[in-house]
């Protein structure tokens, strides 16, 4: 076994190129904000422009074919790019990448040519248009309607908890809409790329615990061209499954990184209590170690999935296992950090006494909020049980760009 | 053995609930939490007029001298409505400190606390946050018959609206942290004192109180020089039991919200409460809320009846509450899904309270350490 | 509120009587064994005889009417008796007391007179004949059959996990048997008092983690008189519910006692590690406190139920809540004790190094085994959810001797 | 990056599983556990002939010098079959101690360990049970060029069937527990040595070893006087990683039993695996088993590739295993209900192993303390 990437000299040379490029294009004072809620104004514009530059270099989707706007690079080089981007903490504009596998697996060649380059070049920003007031965990219960007028579809309905920078910033809203109310569940949806600027589309921010970066999307008589339907007009659920397969952790991550953990360890290293270094407090030591272990074990699940994905292995429960653990350990670690840091981890980004510019407080909220999107804890458990073969329903993984056309049969 | 509230306590609860249902609906709580100072003078006046700030104050000082169980019964309801805790800060904690440490010399102030005319806070914690006696390091130096206080108190509740601040300070250093602690009454307008509201996801208003060579006369000392820890310890115990009742009320409401939502929210064609996974979170939250209530009332009862092991019961209640309140809220969030994170639903306000009160007056680890010491066989 | 009993001078005088009686009848060297598995031979015989003596004094069922063999005493005096019996750690022969509420609530006057005095006087030993290989959590799925021959019933079938001292020691086996295979579920059972000496009844010990005190009961053409049916011949499920209401914690306990916890605290007080008293180890302190808190909180549930029961209040979820917590905290405390005591809590009763004569090791096994009988963890949760009003099925509590004939309607 | 076993490792696992399926079915495990000495010479011979006791022994000492990952792959299978751990005691732990501390002087014994001719155990723990250096207090006093050992070693695995015992003792006292520790090779027939099997719910045979003025020559010292802790620490780390693979195998089997049972056991007319409450326990156990496997192999890999932070990985793996193995067994019991407590089912044997191995070579708290120290920022 080998739990690490090893790079050739040529690959290390490539790393230097990436570093140099970043040094040239990102002034040293520019950094991702502690709270993504505050990705606004000049910083947003800078990040958007940087995204375009990265996209045109093929570095937004390094392993995808250049024909679609990818980089055509090896996994190792992709990992190097990721490492350097992260190291540099560059601010990133949120665009949901899960649109990509859906188009790759289910789109026609024309659709791939039409949609992918704009997205992969960083020109287009995509929001996931999935959840509805009556379709949360029960995503198949989508009620918004698309009516076929031949050349186009007319869409009406409401989406909620749509993440992104907000009105005027999105280009595409992608997700399932009901095309056939008479068809059975799971066979009654289409999957649409809706231009966000379409007349009849409005975004209204929600007032959430994690800020105002999630929206209600109202769709009122929104006309969408016919070729914006990805997959057949009764295959929307199946297309969504490909997306969810990735969102549920199926792609994995090659690294074990956890900034919140690193902050915590540093906090403990500097703090004192009752006149003694906190790092010598046996209870604190246990909490630190538990945070590390939980984060590390969850990271290994993710690394395993990355390896399975890139070695084109068929996953069963592993994606959801990783996603579930990520959600759960986030809650546990937030709890442990509260136990050690006390009220310090409730101090916000504007508070001068807040450690790490308020990052621990952001984590206190985000770890709770993150349990819902991308499949709730319950949804992940349902999927795991099915794939362990103990549930009433048995299922195998949906096709992904790595497995489509292989033993699963083509979509 | 009788685990029912008395008729009088039940009536107290009913009248408190009536007021708060009317004056403090959930959108009002949110509005208040987002306001500049988190304080509503109109509501304060009504609460004071009902005697809520006078309950723990002895009758000799113009208070009601209620039993702590009475006070706990009231605060159980306040917790259910996520009522701002200024009434606790001044009317319970500070009043207890005053009553335990020096009711005689400062009876006038205690009367004003009882009527709600004055708001007093208790500044105990410092940058090295903690609730043991060792946490107080701020020095008070004697100079020409007066005392000079220098240092910072952090996470002090309601100091921004308080008229006076009871500052725990060290008049003597030494190996025994329980010795050498004193309390000083510092008026808000005192030269060298500055108060700054801290910001973040804080369920109540917490402040940084800076004392820059604040000079107070000897008469500002509350109680005996160097002997403050014992009365503070007693006062904190009594206040903590009341706070536990408040937290139990909050956990009960967060749980009931989950129960109600699980009956009405439909997924996969059925109410989500019919799913075992959802039920399990509700069962856990319900257990937490019930445990919190029972341990809180047991502590109140033991304090009222002068049991030797009242401190054990208090620490048990607070350890249970510090774990249970945040956990019940988290379970309720879990049941509510995304919509639970929407401020307009109201749950987030309970979660904020829960996490802020978790370390307040000692976190679970602190009280568990105390429990272990109290349980250890005498050798 | 008042969390304690307070005794009058007269009641304290009664306590002295109980003490004196126990001093007279129980030699000081006689004590309950650490592992009930070893309730054998002379000790068993002594305990059986003592049980009879207690029974004839009315002290086995102090609050029940003297007409049935009870003591006709107040709750306070019953609590005093219990306190003194426990303090003296007298060895007790296991006879399942849950037969009593079933007969009290559902038996005819003749049946009460026939069965109760023998049981309450300690002359008769009863085993609960409930579980079957295919009827565990799903108790209503009882498959053993009773066929009506007019004056008697003929019973065939198999029960399992029947607790008691074993063959030759039981007098009655009580529980549900299917009387009508054509009737719907919950309406197809009768509740029988089967004489254990009936021809065709055999008990075979199981080889279990907690020893050999549980049996398979084979019933082959066992003839049982017709008046041994308690309740109607289609009411067996309902009778069982009355039993389960009690078994699931509905009766409560007036005291907060936990010998395993006391042992643990004493162990920690005497042990050392790395040359320092274990009681000063901050991690150990946390574990001790958590054991105490869990035990105490569970005890308060039980005390609340005791109070509710004796104040004749209708319980909803409280019985199962208490039962569930007792099962769960037992597991948690066993876990904590392993963490502190290490291998010491795995040393058995024959091991000279075992602390407290091996009691911690017995607890390690019993806490795990106890999660199953008397309603599994799952069964308790099902009941709680129903009674919180969130389940598909809604239910209220079954009648108990305290509530039967009140607002529930008589059975 | 490659998280697959090599072909050779996979073959090793297959052949081990073939042997154990044949020679160690679950009723044989039960029989062995209930036998007088828990040892089957026939099975021992077969395992030794397959080279299982020779893997960690360097080729220079007649062993196979396998990678630790190879050894872990083997022990993962042994764990699945709840195989008695004598092969670990002698062939891994003691062999590692010998190899790390003094392969040169005691190469002959190491060769005999490799072939399985000799069984050697390692006596480390004492009545104040623990795995840090401070746990060793048994004194070895120099007398006339020899050493006299006096004291008690407790919970020593397999001492009753061992031919020789490696005794960790203190040749020097002092403030630094890491200094002054030495290892002595004590032969079983040595005067003053007595060995007694301890009884209880012990997943493997543990013994009390009493040394009553046992006098050994200076040549019995393994490695350097006073310098034993460093090689012991390394040896324990290496052995612990292997043990973690064993525990992962056991947790996997306990989990698979639950999965299988949940598919076939019918209640309320359906397989119990369709109930969310049952699923949740299986999901948790499956997570534990997978986490244990990944962290164990990561530790083995880091040791094999000489990573600086291999100790961190080892402690992570053992902390995960010490919590995960008992928890997975408990979950499996939960799924099985009453029948899981029946010895003939086999699950109880895994639970016994899990609880016995939980503290062995350091419990979770010990390893977490070590992790915290290893993570602490260098100041």
């Amino acid at each position: 076994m080998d739990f690490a990437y090893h790079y050739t000299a040529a690959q290390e040379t490539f790393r230097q190129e990436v570093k140099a490029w970043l040094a040239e294009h990102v002034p040293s004072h520019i950094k991702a904000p502690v709270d993504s809620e505050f990705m606004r104004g000049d910083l947003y514009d800078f990040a958007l422009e940087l995204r375009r530059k990265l996209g045109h270099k093929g570095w937004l989707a390094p392993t995808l074919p250049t024909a679609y706007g990818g980089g055509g690079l090896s996994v190792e080089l992709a990992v190097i790019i990721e490492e350097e981007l992260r190291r540099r903490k560059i601010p990133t504009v949120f665009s949901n990448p899960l649109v990509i596998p859906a188009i790759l697996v289910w789109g026609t060649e024309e659709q791939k040519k039409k949609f992918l380059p704009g997205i992969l070049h960083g020109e287009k920003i995509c929001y996931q248009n999935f959840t509805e007031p009556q379709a949360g965990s029960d995503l198949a219960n989508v009620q918004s309607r698309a009516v076929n007028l031949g050349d186009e579809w007319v869409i009406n309905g409401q989406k909620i908890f749509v993440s992104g920078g907000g009105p005027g910033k999105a280009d595409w809203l992608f997700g399932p809409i009901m095309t056939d109310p008479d068809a059975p569940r799971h066979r009654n949806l289409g999957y649409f790329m809706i231009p966000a600027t379409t007349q009849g589309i409005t975004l209204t921010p929600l007032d959430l615990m994690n800020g105002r970066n999630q929206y209600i999307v109202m769709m009122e008589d929104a006309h969408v061209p016919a070729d914006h339907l990805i997959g057949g007009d009764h295959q929307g659920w199946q297309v969504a499954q490909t997306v969810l397969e990735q969102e549920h952790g199926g792609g994995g991550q090659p690294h074990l990184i956890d900034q919140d953990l690193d902050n915590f360890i540093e906090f403990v290293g500097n703090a004192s209590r009752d006149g003694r270094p906190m790092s010598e407090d046996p209870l604190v030591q246990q909490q630190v170690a538990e945070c590390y272990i939980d984060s590390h074990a969850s990271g290994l699940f993710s690394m395993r999935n990355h390896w399975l994905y890139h070695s084109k292995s068929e996953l069963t429960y592993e994606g959801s296992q990783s996603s579930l653990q990520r959600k759960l350990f986030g809650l546990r670690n937030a709890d442990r950090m509260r136990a050690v840091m006390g009220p310090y981890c409730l101090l916000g980004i504007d508070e001068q006494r807040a450690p790490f510019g308020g990052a621990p407080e952001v984590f206190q909220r985000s770890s709770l909020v993150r349990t819902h999107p991308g499949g709730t804890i319950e949804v992940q458990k349902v999927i795991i049980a099915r794939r362990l073969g103990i549930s009433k329903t048995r299922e195998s993984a949906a096709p992904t760009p790595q497995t489509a056309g292989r033993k699963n049969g083509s979509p | 053995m009788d685990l029912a509230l008395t008729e009088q306590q039940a009536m107290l609860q009913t009248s408190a609930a009536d007021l708060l249902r009317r004056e403090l609906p959930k959108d009002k709580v949110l509005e208040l939490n987002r306001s500049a100072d988190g304080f509503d003078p109109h509501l304060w006046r009504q609460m004071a007029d009902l005697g809520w700030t006078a309950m723990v104050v002895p009758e000799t000082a113009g208070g009601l001298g209620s039993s702590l169980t009475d006070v706990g019964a009231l605060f159980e309801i306040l917790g259910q409505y996520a009522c701002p805790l200024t009434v606790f800060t001044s009317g319970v904690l500070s009043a207890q400190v005053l009553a335990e440490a020096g009711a005689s010399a400062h009876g006038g102030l205690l009367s004003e606390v009882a009527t709600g005319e004055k708001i007093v806070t208790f500044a105990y914690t410092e940058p090295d946050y903690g609730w043991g006696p060792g946490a107080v390091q701020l020095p008070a130096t004697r100079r020409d018959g007066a005392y000079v206080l220098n240092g910072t108190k952090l996470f002090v509740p309601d100091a921004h609206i308080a008229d006076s601040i009871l500052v725990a300070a060290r008049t003597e250093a030494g190996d025994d942290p329980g010795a050498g602690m004193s309390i000083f009454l510092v008026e808000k307008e005192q030269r060298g004192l500055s108060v700054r509201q801290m910001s973040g996801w804080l369920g109540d208003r917490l402040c940084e109180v800076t004392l820059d060579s604040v000079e107070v006369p000897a008469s500002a000392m509350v109680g005996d020089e160097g002997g403050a820890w014992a009365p503070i310890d007693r006062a904190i115990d009594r206040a903590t039991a009341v706070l536990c009742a408040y937290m139990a009320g909050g956990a009960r409401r967060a749980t009931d919200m989950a129960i109600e939502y699980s009956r009405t929210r439909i997924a996969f064609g059925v109410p989500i409460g019919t799913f075992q996974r959802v039920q399990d979170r509700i069962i856990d939250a319900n257990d937490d809320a019930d445990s919190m209530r029972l341990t809180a009332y047991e502590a109140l009862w033991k304090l009222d009846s002068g049991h030797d092991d009242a401190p054990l019961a208090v620490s048990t209640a607070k350890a249970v509450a510090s774990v249970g309140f945040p956990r019940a809220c988290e379970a309720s969030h879990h049941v509510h899904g995304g919509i639970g994170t929407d401020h307009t639903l109201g749950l987030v306000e309970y979660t904020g309270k829960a996490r802020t009160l978790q370390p307040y007056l000692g976190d679970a680890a602190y009280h568990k350490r105390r429990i272990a010491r109290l349980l250890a066989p005498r050798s």
Side-chain angles (χ1 to χ4, degrees), chain A residues 32-262:
Chain A
V34 162
D35 190 343
S36 61
E37 166 83 3
F38 295 88
M39 191 62 193
R40 298 257 163 84
D42 288 354
L43 188 61
Y44 186 94
D45 295 339
F46 175 86
L48 193 66
E49 183 53 32
L50 185 65
R51 178 179 180 80
R52 288 197 194 101
K53 290 177 186 161
L54 285 164
H56 281 283
K57 281 196 78 73
W59 289 359
L60 279 185
T63 62
L64 293 186
T66 50
Y68 300 140
L73 302 175
S74 67
V75 179
E76 283 78 6
L77 295 187
V79 170
I80 286 173
I81 293 168
E82 204 206 307
E83 286 171 356
E84 296 309 318
L85 291 177
R86 193 179 46 247
R87 198 192 314 270
R88 189 53 198 79
K89 293 190 180 162
I90 66 155
T92 45
V93 163
F94 180 76
S95 174
N96 196 310
L98 296 171
V99 65
I100 301 165
I103 296 174
L104 276 174
V105 174
W106 296 88
T108 63
E109 193 54 35
E110 290 69 31
Q111 287 177 320
K112 292 178 195 176
K113 294 247 165 72
K114 173 176 178 150
F115 293 116
L116 288 177
I119 297 167
L120 302 190
H121 285 151
E123 301 285 348
K124 302 293 182 188
I125 299 296
C126 302
Y127 294 177
Q128 192 182 36
N129 209 33
F130 270 40
T131 303
E132 298 186 2
Q134 299 307 318
S137 290
D138 186 9
L139 184 61
N141 193 41
V142 157
Q143 298 295 314
S144 59
R145 284 277 283 124
V147 176
N148 192 345
L149 299 186
D151 276 2
E152 49 179 28
W153 295 80
V154 181
I155 297 179
N156 277 283
Q158 182 185 343
K159 297 282 180 179
I160 192 169
F161 296 116
V162 173
S163 296
K169 292 182 169 160
D171 296 289
W172 305 109
L173 304 170
F174 63 93
I177 309 279
M178 196 199 295
T179 51
D180 185 353
D182 299 325
R185 192 176 154 92
H186 296 158
R187 294 282 162 200
N188 58 351
L189 306 176
Y191 196 90
F192 291 90
M193 291 286 286
I194 304 174
T197 50
T198 306
Q199 182 147 18
I201 301 282
T202 51
L203 275 66
T204 316
L206 289 154
D207 180 9
L208 302 181
M209 203 169 125
N210 49 327
R212 294 171 184 269
N213 271 339
Q214 289 190 293
Y215 294 84
I216 292 173
V217 175
M218 293 301 304
M219 303 175 289
E220 292 164 306
D221 288 335
H223 289 246
V224 176
D227 67 345
H228 285 218
L229 173 72
I230 309 292
D233 60 4
H234 287 65
Q235 286 187 308
W237 177 252
Q238 288 66 37
V239 180
Q241 288 310 299
T242 287
V243 171
L244 295 176
E245 195 66 35
Q246 302 282 105
E247 186 168 26
H248 293 173
Q253 288 290 339
H255 294 104
L256 307 172
I257 42 153
D258 186 341
Q259 186 61 51
D260 298 300
L261 172 69
D262 295 343

Side-chain angles (χ1 to χ4, degrees), chain B residues 65-239:
Chain B
S66 311
S67 76
L68 274 187
T69 306
D70 289 350
V71 185
L74 171 67
F75 273 83
E76 185 181 11
I77 301 299
L78 266 57
Q80 287 178 14
Y81 287 86
C83 181
L85 273 169
T86 314
V87 59
F88 175 84
T89 304
S90 185
V92 179
L93 179 59
S94 299
Q96 287 287 3
V97 170
L98 277 171
E100 292 286 342
S104 48
H106 296 86
L109 179 61
L110 196 48
S111 306
E112 289 175 313
V113 165
T115 59
E117 283 162 76
K118 282 276 174 69
I119 292 174
V120 178
T121 187
F122 177 49
Y124 189 81
T125 51
E126 302 182 5
D128 274 14
Y129 186 82
W131 287 90
V136 172
Q137 293 297 331
L138 187 142
T141 320
R142 187 188 276 269
R143 192 166 70 195
D144 306 333
Y147 289 88
V148 180
L149 284 71
N150 255 311
T152 302
K153 292 286 182 180
L154 270 196
F155 305 108
V156 181
D158 297 311
H160 63 304
I161 51 164
D163 301 292
S164 317
I165 302 177
L166 294 164
V167 177
R170 196 152 285 286
T171 41
E172 210 174 315
D175 280 347
D176 177 8
M181 197 189 301
S182 306
I183 305 167
F184 296 92
L185 182 67
V186 180
E187 298 303 324
K188 194 61 157 301
E189 56 275 9
Q190 194 92 28
R191 180 200 302 265
L193 179 78
S194 59
V195 171
R196 181 182 69 80
Q197 273 195 65
M198 302 176 79
S199 69
W201 190 28
L202 300 166
D204 276 283
R205 299 307 161 108
L206 301 178
C207 301
E208 173 164 356
V209 175
T210 309
L211 298 108
D212 183 7
S213 296
V214 170
E215 185 175 324
V216 293
S219 63
M221 185 180 288
V222 180
D224 299 333
E225 172 158 345
W229 171 244
I232 286 176
D233 194 24
R234 285 195 304 274
I236 288 182
D237 259 1
R238 296 175 63 81

Side-chain angles (χ1 to χ4, degrees), chain A residues 174-363:
Chain A
F174 63 93
I177 309 279
M178 196 199 295
T179 51
D180 185 353
D182 299 325
R185 192 176 154 92
H186 296 158
R187 294 282 162 200
N188 58 351
L189 306 176
Y191 196 90
F192 291 90
M193 291 286 286
I194 304 174
T197 50
T198 306
Q199 182 147 18
I201 301 282
T202 51
L203 275 66
T204 316
L206 289 154
D207 180 9
L208 302 181
M209 203 169 125
N210 49 327
R212 294 171 184 269
N213 271 339
Q214 289 190 293
Y215 294 84
I216 292 173
V217 175
M218 293 301 304
M219 303 175 289
E220 292 164 306
D221 288 335
H223 289 246
V224 176
D227 67 345
H228 285 218
L229 173 72
I230 309 292
D233 60 4
H234 287 65
Q235 286 187 308
W237 177 252
Q238 288 66 37
V239 180
Q241 288 310 299
T242 287
V243 171
L244 295 176
E245 195 66 35
Q246 302 282 105
E247 186 168 26
H248 293 173
Q253 288 290 339
H255 294 104
L256 307 172
I257 42 153
D258 186 341
Q259 186 61 51
D260 298 300
L261 172 69
D262 295 343
N263 288 348
F264 183 52
I265 292 171
E266 194 179 328
F267 178 89
V268 166
N270 294 327
S272 61
R273 184 178 289 164
D274 285 337
R276 292 175 56 183
M278 202 179 252
S279 59
E280 290 174 13
D281 179 331
L283 300 186
V284 172
Q285 290 178 340
Q286 296 287 306
Q287 303 273 20
V288 167
E290 284 173 21
C291 282
Y292 171 79
I293 290 168
D294 242 353
S295 173
H296 191 80
S298 175
L300 287 178
F301 282 161
S302 196
M303 180 188 280
R304 173 201 58 192
N305 292 3
H306 169 85
W307 172 73
L308 285 169
Y309 184 74
H310 286 285
S311 58
K312 297 187 192 297
S313 306
E314 188 94 23
L315 277 68
T316 62
Y317 62 78
E318 291 87 351
S320 287
Q321 180 185 49
S322 165
S323 172
L324 175 65
Q325 279 308 313
R326 221 165 38 229
K327 289 166 189 280
L328 292 178
F329 100 75
L331 290 174
R332 288 192 295 257
N333 280 6
D335 204 44
R336 293 169 181 137
M337 291 174 192
R338 279 205 310 286
V340 171
M341 299 173 73
Y344 278 103
C345 65
L346 303 177
L347 297 179
I349 59 168
D350 296 327
E351 168 58 44
Q352 63 199 61
R353 290 271 185 183
F356 309 104
E361 189 271 342
V362 175
F363 179 64

